[in-house]
Amino acid sequence: MRSFTTKPLRTAALAALLVTVPFAGAYAASTSFYGPRETVLFDQIQGVDTGIRAAMQANKIKPDEARDLRRQVAQLNRDAQRAARDGTMPATQYRQLLAQLDDVSQKLRAATGGAFLIGNGGDGGYYPNGYGPSHPNG
C-alpha cells in the first residue's frame, strides 16, 4: 500500500484556495462606499493577491514570478480605485479591469499547474486553457 504524502494534500488545498478566495466577497454588503459590483472586484483583486502569496509560500511559483504577478495586481487595484473614486465605475471599465484580473489569475493558475490543459499534444504540447502557442506567455 502506498504511503500518504502531504504533497497532494498541499496541492489540493492550494487549488481550493485559488478557486474560492476570489469569490469569497461576492456577497459583500453594498453598504460600503463602493457599489456591489466594485466591492466584488476589489475582493477578487485581494483574492488573487492572496493566491499569489499562498503559491509562493507553497513553493509553487518563484519569487520573481510572484513579484511580477503582485505588481500587476497592485496596478489593477490602483486603476480600479481610480475608476471608482465616486463609488461606482463605468461598466466598460469594470469589464476591462475584470478581464485583466482574469488574465493575471490565469497566469497564476498556469504557473502553479492549476489550469486545466487543452489540446492533444499533437502540436508539441498541452496548453493551459486560454494559452496557446501564439499567446505571448504561452
Side-chain angles (χ1 to χ4, degrees), residues 99-118:
Q100 290 173 349
L101 181 62
D102 184 54
D103 186 52
V104 174
S105 181
Q106 178 65 26
K107 288 176 187 176
L108 175 62
R109 287 190 302 269
T112 60
F116 59 91
L117 303 177
I118 60 173

Side-chain angles (χ1 to χ4, degrees), residues 29-39 42 80-89:
S30 61
T31 58
S32 67
F33 174 73
Y34 297 112
R37 167 175 80 179
E38 292 77 14
T39 301
F42 288 121
Q81 289 196 12
R82 192 174 316 119
R85 66 180 162 263
D86 296 328
T88 61
M89 70 177 68

Side-chain angles (χ1 to χ4, degrees), residues 68-98:
D68 181 49
L69 291 172
R70 289 193 76 199
R71 188 176 321 121
Q72 292 176 42
V73 169
Q75 182 61 47
L76 281 170
N77 189 39
R78 286 190 296 274
D79 291 346
Q81 289 196 12
R82 192 174 316 119
R85 66 180 162 263
D86 296 328
T88 61
M89 70 177 68
T92 55
Q93 220 167 3
Y94 171 77
R95 284 191 296 272
Q96 179 186 24
L97 290 168
L98 199 57

